[in-house]
Amino acid sequence: MASLPKDTLHFPAEHRPFLEPHLPPKELPPVNGSFFPFTTVTFATSLDSQLALSPGAPTQLSGPQSKAMTHYLRSRYDAILIGVGTAAADNPSLNCRIEGVGGYGGEGLQGQPRPIIIDPAARWDFTANHKIFQLARNGQGRAPYIITGLATPPTDKKAILEEAGGKFITVDVATTGINDHKLEWKDVLKALSAVGLRSVMIEGGGIVINSLLQPEYFPVINSVIVTIAPTWLGIGGVVVSPPRRFNDEGKPMAAVRLDHVEWHPFGEDVVLCGKVKL
């Protein structure tokens, strides 16, 4: 048997059962664009609800146990999704490194999720040498699908994507400012369903998560899994804080509340699992 890559992660079987109620069923039916994929919002945060020290700044929050948990989660989803800001800043791998998946002791690409990048204006300036494409060539991950609002994406980027097994997916985009674009999440999720993706794990960044945690999208969120690290990042970071809501009398109320909540310690971190309260 070939040796495993040095960055292979291990997530013991005894740590997995508590996650099961919050994950997609192992035998999901095929989809064809008429239904939404099973959708989970997941991210690591500080005690002051921040994802990073500043936009584009790599920030290590998860400890080794919860990091391995995140990669196990990736193995259970057809796709994982991030925004273009995260893609441009981090040059992410967006693969799964748990022992037993494809490229890490498993066959083919079994257990490797499809990376999805939300990039309305196709501004991600990637090349074939970006980490995500190197892993795809090495059989340790899949090439990304990029969600864009452009009917005709850049031909050079399109060629890189398609050569690696990825592609652009065009959806309708509303322009809300000079350089601001807004995607309708239900259109995005239906587009993923239309290409056969039955489940998606939405990992960030802050703009993506805050735009999804709004009342009109609560029904399409099946679960939320948050890793909380025992640290404060301080003022000025990237915050998960969706828009304030108001009741019928115009008084402020909580933006989002979770239901069916479970807490689980992992090393120095705590993992929170729940469902959005409708």
Side-chain angles (χ1 to χ4, degrees):
M1 178 179 175
S3 60
L4 296 172
K6 292 181 179 179
D7 59 351
T8 302
L9 298 173
H10 308 272
F11 188 61
E14 60 266 25
H15 292 166
R16 302 179 183 187
F18 87 88
L19 292 165
E20 199 61 39
H22 310 282
L23 303 182
K26 292 185 177 180
E27 297 299 330
L28 280 172
V31 290
N32 58 9
S34 58
F35 300 97
F36 298 118
F38 187 103
T39 301
T40 295
V41 176
T42 183
F43 55 92
T45 180
S46 63
L47 291 172
D48 43 357
S49 195
Q50 299 190 71
L51 306 180
L53 287 163
S54 62
T59 305
Q60 181 65 44
L61 287 170
S62 300
Q65 293 97 329
S66 51
K67 181 178 181 180
M69 180 203 72
T70 296
H71 278 261
Y72 170 70
L73 293 179
R74 288 180 174 184
S75 75
R76 294 292 304 274
Y77 288 80
D78 287 351
I80 53 177
L81 182 150
I82 64 170
V84 62
T86 303
D90 293 353
N91 186 18
S93 301
L94 294 180
N95 69 338
C96 174
R97 304 204 308 267
I98 286 292
E99 182 178 1
V101 302
Y104 295 83
E107 296 294 328
L109 291 173
Q110 179 183 359
Q112 288 292 352
R114 174 72 65 181
I116 308 295
I117 313 294
I118 300 292
D119 189 5
R123 68 180 178 88
W124 184 28
D125 188 21
F126 59 84
T127 72
N129 291 324
H130 271 59
K131 196 182 301 180
I132 197 169
F133 296 105
Q134 292 179 15
L135 289 166
R137 287 193 295 271
N138 293 339
Q140 294 177 297
R142 298 180 189 269
Y145 290 170
I146 299 179
I147 304 291
T148 185
L150 300 184
T152 308
T155 55
D156 56 335
K157 305 302 181 189
K158 185 172 182 286
I160 293 171
L161 276 175
E162 293 180 353
E163 183 177 355
K167 62 182 174 181
F168 281 104
I169 298 175
T170 299
V171 299
D172 291 334
V173 174
T175 301
T176 57
I178 295 175
N179 292 311
D180 196 13
H181 301 82
K182 181 181 178 181
L183 290 170
E184 165 57 59
W185 274 105
K186 292 179 181 178
D187 290 343
V188 171
L189 294 173
K190 283 187 176 180
L192 299 183
S193 173
V195 294
L197 298 171
R198 300 164 299 168
S199 58
V200 58
M201 189 165 91
I202 297 176
E203 295 193 5
I207 292 174
V208 165
I209 294 169
N210 288 330
S211 71
L212 183 59
L213 292 178
Q214 300 191 44
E216 62 263 40
Y217 303 128
F218 290 173
V220 303
I221 302 173
N222 297 94
S223 63
V224 177
I225 302 175
V226 180
T227 298
I228 303 168
T231 185
W232 285 273
L233 292 182
I235 295 171
V238 178
V239 178
V240 173
S241 185
R244 177 69 55 83
R245 296 171 63 194
F246 297 88
N247 64 18
D248 294 339
E249 298 175 351
K251 296 180 179 179
M253 58 185 287
V256 192
R257 186 173 178 85
L258 297 181
D259 209 351
H260 305 289
V261 170
E262 297 181 79
W263 298 84
H264 299 272
F266 265 112
E268 294 185 343
D269 303 331
V270 175
V271 175
L272 163 65
C273 302
K275 299 183 185 301
V276 172
K277 189 172 184 179
L278 301 177

